[in-house]
Amino acid sequence: MAVETDKACANKEVTRAAAMAGAKTGQKASKTDHAGANDSSVRFMYGTRFGRIVLHTALFLRIPALLGALLRTPLSRLYIPSFIRKNGIDMTGFEGVVFHSFNDFFTRKKAVSFDAAPDALIAPADSLLSVYQITDEARFHIKGFDYTLQDFFEPERFGLTAAETAARFSGGTCLVFRLCATDYHRYCYIDDGRHSGIPGENHFIPGTLYSVQPLAAEKFRIYTKNRRSWTIMHTEHFGDVAQIEVGAFSVGGIVNHKPAGTETAFRKGEEKGYFDLHGSTIVLLLQKDAAVLNADVSAVCADGSEYRVRIGEKIGVSR
């Protein structure tokens, strides 16, 4: 069964231990991870002309949707043991659990710990983190492309204006958390706070399902072409924070738990939602001077490299 996997995520991550040993060590490991962070199928489909023809044909024929449907059937259980072995997934705590489908296994739920200090900025998910600065003109640069916050939000689609969405994050920080196939695919709230008004609703934008691996990000504007859902959260310690969940190849679902259109409170570490099937990405937008990232995170991510984080892990503090 052809499910895209990211060997770099499993084998060449930037570990916290390496980064804590010093910025130089962390940067070197991150560059190695970045250089090999595309599996063979991604190199073919995004790195060659014929591969891109195959890719767009597959997308046109809705192959990701068909694959997703297959991976939700009982037959797909046969793929689980080999996927676990191939990717070295730790199944501690799931001994004896019977999964009804590959998707049932993929969206499995576990107990999550997090840094409860009020000023701690935590990672929303197991992922590879990269950091980008947002200009005063609400632009930022990822993998060779200039993006605008207007592109991310498409506020007019929801009856909003740039002032209600993009403008509030000008001069801020963009945190990109790239989830790999081997990562835990549930994500949590980074602080106490509430959803409020139209900006606080879950706004779904339909789109395609390109891979989120680095080579794909260098070939396509995946963060504004892919299917995504966004909300702006009012948090107690970091001000307004935008969270955008971005779907990827074979990921049919972005499931958020809180109802839209209501005044809804949330707690730090509480599960916000989950992805169906395969790797995905979460983007956090912080307002200017909202937080200071840990020195090791900043050192590794300074040149666009990725830093391995775990859900609930402290990655910075509020100012």
Side-chain angles (χ1 to χ4, degrees), residues 11-307:
N11 302 323
K12 299 182 180 178
E13 312 171 335
V14 180
T15 63
R16 293 190 295 270
M20 291 174 65
K24 184 175 181 181
T25 302
Q27 283 186 331
K28 183 176 182 181
S30 182
K31 288 175 181 176
T32 301
D33 177 42
H34 176 76
N38 304 282
D39 68 21
S40 57
S41 64
V42 168
R43 290 194 297 272
F44 167 68
M45 288 193 294
Y46 293 85
T48 69
R49 180 177 299 179
F50 180 67
R52 288 190 289 274
I53 293 173
V54 172
L55 169 67
H56 285 104
T57 301
L59 292 173
F60 176 77
L61 296 175
R62 298 179 57 83
I63 298 301
L66 295 174
L67 177 61
L70 175 61
L71 293 176
R72 291 178 175 86
T73 66
L75 182 64
S76 65
R77 289 181 298 178
L78 301 175
Y79 182 54
I80 296 173
S82 62
F83 186 86
I84 292 172
R85 289 194 302 271
K86 179 179 179 180
N87 294 286
I89 297 175
D90 182 5
M91 295 299 292
T92 301
F94 291 93
E95 296 85 355
V97 174
V98 176
F99 297 105
H100 301 292
S101 68
F102 183 85
N103 190 52
D104 187 30
F105 152 74
F106 194 77
T107 58
R108 64 197 180 278
K109 190 170 183 175
K110 67 179 182 180
V112 171
S113 61
F114 61 93
D115 192 315
D119 66 341
L121 174 63
I122 63 172
D126 291 350
S127 53
L128 292 168
L129 167 64
S130 52
V131 180
Y132 305 92
Q133 295 306 307
I134 305 169
T135 70
D136 291 336
E137 293 75 36
R139 294 179 177 272
F140 50 101
H141 189 79
I142 302 178
K143 307 295 183 189
F145 288 111
D146 285 318
Y147 289 91
T148 68
L149 296 182
Q150 191 85 354
D151 296 334
F152 257 64
F153 292 120
E154 298 186 19
E156 295 83 2
R157 180 193 291 265
F158 307 103
L160 299 169
T161 66
E164 293 172 292
T165 52
R168 71 181 73 190
F169 299 103
S170 297
T173 304
C174 172
L175 305 177
V176 177
F177 299 86
R178 181 171 68 91
L179 284 72
C180 305
T182 54
D183 284 325
Y184 182 61
H185 268 64
R186 294 177 180 263
Y187 44 88
C188 71
Y189 286 101
I190 64 164
D191 194 15
D192 295 347
R194 72 185 192 281
H195 291 284
S196 181
I198 295 177
E201 295 178 3
N202 292 315
H203 300 285
F204 179 76
I205 300 176
T208 188
L209 290 174
Y210 290 120
S211 170
V212 294
Q213 291 189 32
L215 183 58
E218 293 169 6
K219 298 295 182 180
F220 300 101
R221 294 178 178 271
I222 61 174
Y223 299 108
T224 54
K225 285 186 175 294
N226 276 24
R227 180 179 304 175
R228 58 197 185 278
S229 177
W230 65 266
T231 185
I232 296 177
M233 307 174 291
H234 298 295
T235 69
E236 289 191 7
H237 300 95
F238 303 97
D240 286 348
V241 176
Q243 179 159 324
I244 303 101
E245 293 96 21
V246 183
F249 192 85
S250 79
V251 179
I254 300 170
V255 181
N256 284 302
H257 299 312
K258 296 291 184 182
T262 60
E263 284 282 338
T264 308
F266 53 81
R267 302 289 293 177
K268 184 177 188 177
E270 177 186 358
E271 185 177 296
K272 183 178 185 297
Y274 64 90
F275 291 105
D276 271 350
L277 297 174
H278 205 322
S280 315
T281 292
I282 294 172
V283 178
L284 290 183
L285 304 178
L286 304 179
Q287 293 180 298
K288 186 175 182 179
D289 298 326
V292 178
L293 297 179
N294 292 351
D296 52 344
V297 174
S298 295
V300 169
C301 296
D303 65 351
S305 297
E306 296 176 310
Y307 182 90

